[in-house]
Amino acid sequence: MFSKFDVIETIEMIEKEHLDIRTVTMGISLLPCIRATAGETSDAVYDRVMQKAERLVETAAELSSEYGIPIVNKRVSVTPVSLISAAFPSESGKIGAALDRAAKELGIDFLGGYSALVHKGTADYEKLFLSTIPEVLASTDRLCSSVNVGSSKSGINMDAVRTMGEIVLKTAQLTKDKDGLGCAKLVVFCNAVEDNPFMAGAFHGVGESDTVINVGVSGPGVVEHALKYIPDADLTDAAELIKRTAFKITRAGQLIAREAAKRLNARFGIVDLSLAPTPARGDSVAHILETLGLEVVGCHGTTAALAMLNDAVKKGGVMASSRVGGLSGAFIPVSEDIGMIESATAGQISIDKLEAMTCVCSVGLDMIAIPGDTPASTISAIIADEAAIGMVNNKTTAVRVIPAPGKKVGDEVSFGGLLGRAPVMPVHKGDASAFIRRGGLIPAPIHSFKN
Amino acid sequence: MRAVVTVTGSDKRGIIAKVSAFLFEHNINIEDVSQTILGDQFAMIMMVDMSESREAFASVAAALAQLGEKIGVTVRLQHADIFDAMHNV
């Protein structure tokens, strides 16, 4: 049983502190859609997604109304398209277009899975698939793409890293009229997870069952608010409070996930325990760190504060849910977090500090605008650094940078909505092209050999 | 099905009477009522049983919200499971 104070606490969390279910994501296997030609496969893909996710938006609205908690995004993730189009890779764009059309007709926010897994090597069909990404992202609206270039077990595919630097740059150039928006829909991963409900990196892994529901919870505002009540507590007590708060948030996610899976005739996949910010005030991970005592996110101490936050969120969340997965931790996207935007605009946080922060939280360099004239080799080098952090530390890392066409340090890019806005941040000028040109595979670290 | 009705806003005459009458008309049984102060606002929390109600949950919730607007307070109807899930281990 619960008390009247519990009822009021929940209502305050939802109405004043931005507690919401950030996303209900339906993972759909496309493996049964493979046909002899690109045209037939596209038709089968479209039909399957439309049929499986037909009631996704409606069901989310029902759940939101019954439980009184907002469900912000409704999304779909699919089997990496490079596997579905392997027999006709240069025509992969047809499948991308079919998926984008389905996403629009279903009324969902984003559909993820225009993806390839090339962490140990890039097959010929994957090379052709990768080359289609810029044009597909420029000609679609809701389709997201991700490429896994490394893993702790396999090492880092530096040929793919080199290619992805070029693809990120080309994607920005093809969407230059929208500040390089295409790059906001493209993530390069190391240790990508197969059940991530968050975009742009969601895809439905081949090890997953046919149709699953994965839910991402949110609530940085709830954690920030709770911490404001204990301004003088030591960090042990602060961690404990974050844990308790994460527990409550996750329980809401677990309830929605179970219920959504039941009503949509899908399996309950996982709850992703992430604290995902939005550009709205009161919904910021950066502000949690500042509430812990930092003058501004990015100053010395930020990495330690984030490490504590990330760990406490996981501990509270794991206790609350029978199935935990996805990225699970604190997100630090620059353009999607008002505290990050303000710190970056004031020059208080650098890419180097963000990179350090990615060593201790669940994601990577995310939604960072960099100068439009950044060479592809520098973007590849940024990807390589992040992938190395992920590979060595057995964690997921990602790069989602936007080389903003025609813009330089101090300018701003604006994508609107949840994608937010970001100042263009400086990158190091030193040339890494000779290193990137070497290609090959960075071998997996010795501690990955556990068998 | 158990649900929770919460009413928040500035206190005025007839809130309990009007909300209770609505619940009666919609075959919803009130099991428990409590009141408290939420910041500087009045808050009433009702545990209700909706097993006799024949209407869709969403339409009852919408009608209650409308009633709240008429009275000048916020009225919500939520499935009790959300509170159970968040506040019990």
Side-chain angles (χ1 to χ4, degrees):
Chain A
M1 210 32 212
F2 48 86
S3 74
K4 63 183 177 186
F5 301 106
D6 295 335
V7 172
I8 288 168
E9 187 186 2
T10 296
I11 288 175
E12 290 208 322
M13 282 179 175
I14 293 167
E15 294 185 2
K16 294 188 181 158
E17 297 155 20
H18 299 279
L19 170 63
D20 53 44
I21 303 297
R22 184 51 49 82
T23 179
V24 173
T25 303
M26 177 181 269
I28 303 172
S29 171
L30 295 185
L31 293 172
C33 302
I34 300 172
R35 304 283 186 274
T37 67
E40 289 171 274
T41 304
S42 303
D43 289 346
V45 162
Y46 171 83
D47 290 344
R48 185 167 171 82
V49 171
M50 289 303 289
Q51 184 237 324
K52 292 280 181 188
E54 186 186 7
R55 295 196 62 252
L56 177 61
V57 172
E58 186 188 334
T59 303
E62 275 169 24
L63 291 170
S64 182
S65 157
E66 281 175 36
Y67 294 99
I69 185 165
I71 297 175
V72 181
N73 297 305
K74 280 70 67 179
R75 295 166 170 174
V76 166
S77 62
V78 296
T79 312
V81 170
S82 69
L83 301 175
I84 309 302
S85 67
F88 33 80
S90 53
E91 292 179 275
S92 301
K94 284 186 183 165
I95 299 175
L99 288 169
D100 193 54
R101 187 157 58 91
K104 285 173 185 161
E105 287 176 24
L106 290 167
I108 57 171
D109 311 279
F110 284 115
L111 187 151
Y114 199 77
S115 305
L117 309 174
V118 294
H119 39 277
K120 205 168 179 185
T122 318
D124 286 345
Y125 68 86
E126 284 163 336
K127 278 182 198 153
L128 285 167
F129 172 83
L130 295 180
S131 70
T132 66
I133 290 176
E135 269 163 29
V136 167
L137 289 180
S139 61
T140 55
D141 297 305
R142 303 198 188 172
L143 188 64
C144 292
S145 175
S146 56
V147 178
N148 194 49
V149 297
S151 78
S152 296
K153 200 72 194 152
S154 67
I156 303 171
N157 176 353
M158 289 298 289
D159 295 317
V161 167
R162 180 174 57 192
T163 305
M164 287 315 295
E166 291 157 7
I167 284 175
V168 168
L169 201 55
K170 191 170 175 199
T171 302
Q173 282 155 359
L174 290 183
T175 51
K176 63 180 174 206
D177 53 329
K178 295 177 193 153
D179 277 348
L181 176 66
C183 295
K185 299 182 286 174
L186 174 59
V187 192
V188 187
F189 275 118
C190 176
N191 290 326
V193 292
E194 300 198 321
D195 51 10
N196 165 23
F198 287 102
M199 295 296 167
F203 64 88
H204 185 74
V206 288
E208 298 280 320
S209 60
D210 188 66
T211 314
V212 299
I213 290 292
N214 298 322
V215 163
V217 295
S218 182
V222 179
V223 175
E224 183 193 348
H225 185 83
L227 287 172
K228 279 187 176 157
Y229 277 107
I230 53 160
D232 302 318
D234 72 16
L235 293 170
T236 313
D237 291 343
E240 186 61 26
L241 182 67
I242 295 167
K243 228 164 77 179
R244 286 169 177 274
T245 310
F247 174 87
K248 292 176 187 172
I249 296 170
T250 308
R251 284 299 275 258
Q254 157 109 347
L255 175 66
I256 295 292
R258 272 190 183 289
E259 209 43 48
K262 199 162 78 186
R263 294 185 193 188
L264 290 163
N265 200 21
R267 279 197 179 203
F268 165 34
I270 54 94
V271 178
D272 188 316
L273 314 174
S274 294
L275 288 183
T278 70
R281 205 161 282 282
D283 208 13
S284 159
V285 169
H287 286 166
I288 299 175
L289 304 178
E290 291 173 5
T291 303
L292 285 168
L294 304 173
E295 183 189 359
V296 59
V297 69
C299 70
H300 295 296
T302 301
T303 310
L306 180 61
M308 186 202 85
L309 171 65
N310 200 62
D311 181 65
V313 166
K314 283 184 203 288
K315 285 174 179 163
V318 164
M319 174 79 181
S321 175
S322 53
R323 283 165 167 253
V324 169
L327 298 169
S328 284
F331 288 0
I332 51 166
V334 173
S335 77
E336 299 173 353
D337 183 316
I338 186 69
M340 287 286 183
I341 295 169
E342 286 172 352
S343 176
T345 306
Q348 296 281 359
I349 193 164
S350 64
I351 286 201
D352 292 343
K353 189 63 182 176
L354 285 162
E355 185 181 308
M357 290 163 75
T358 67
C359 301
V360 299
C361 77
S362 65
V363 285
L365 293 173
D366 198 17
M367 290 304 283
I368 299 171
I370 58 175
D373 61 0
T374 305
S377 59
T378 299
I379 298 171
S380 293
I382 292 171
I383 294 169
D385 282 346
E386 266 310 296
I389 289 170
M391 174 181 78
V392 172
N393 294 301
N394 290 304
K395 69 180 287 292
T396 303
T397 47
V399 173
R400 184 164 51 147
V401 293
I402 300 108
K407 301 219 165 167
K408 54 187 189 310
V409 175
D411 293 342
E412 190 179 88
V413 295
S414 181
F415 302 120
L418 287 181
L419 295 173
R421 65 190 165 86
V424 175
M425 295 174 78
V427 296
H428 291 284
K429 297 275 186 206
D431 181 14
S433 59
F435 174 67
I436 295 301
R437 251 198 322 272
R438 284 174 182 267
L441 188 82
I442 294 183
I446 184 71
H447 57 249
S448 71
F449 299 104
K450 287 181 178 163
N451 280 343
Chain B
M1 185 191 91
R2 281 163 64 244
V4 178
V5 176
T6 50
V7 182
T8 51
S10 53
D11 199 6
K12 52 191 67 148
R13 278 181 305 162
I15 296 178
I16 295 183
K18 285 173 187 161
V19 174
S20 308
F22 175 97
L23 297 174
F24 172 70
E25 285 158 18
H26 289 78
N27 286 322
I28 298 169
N29 186 39
I30 302 171
E31 294 184 334
D32 185 48
V33 184
S34 61
Q35 289 182 47
T36 186
I37 297 298
L38 174 61
D40 54 354
Q41 289 194 320
F42 162 83
M44 179 176 71
I45 296 141
M46 286 175 161
M47 287 295 308
V48 300
D49 174 14
M50 295 184 67
S51 50
E52 304 281 308
S53 170
R54 296 277 167 268
E55 283 171 80
F57 189 98
S59 67
V60 180
L64 256 179
Q66 247 173 21
L67 173 73
E69 274 175 39
K70 224 186 284 174
I71 310 174
V73 291
T74 307
V75 186
R76 311 163 196 78
L77 175 68
Q78 288 165 276
H79 201 303
D81 284 358
I82 183 93
F83 305 105
D84 263 331
M86 287 179 71
H87 299 282
N88 290 317
V89 176

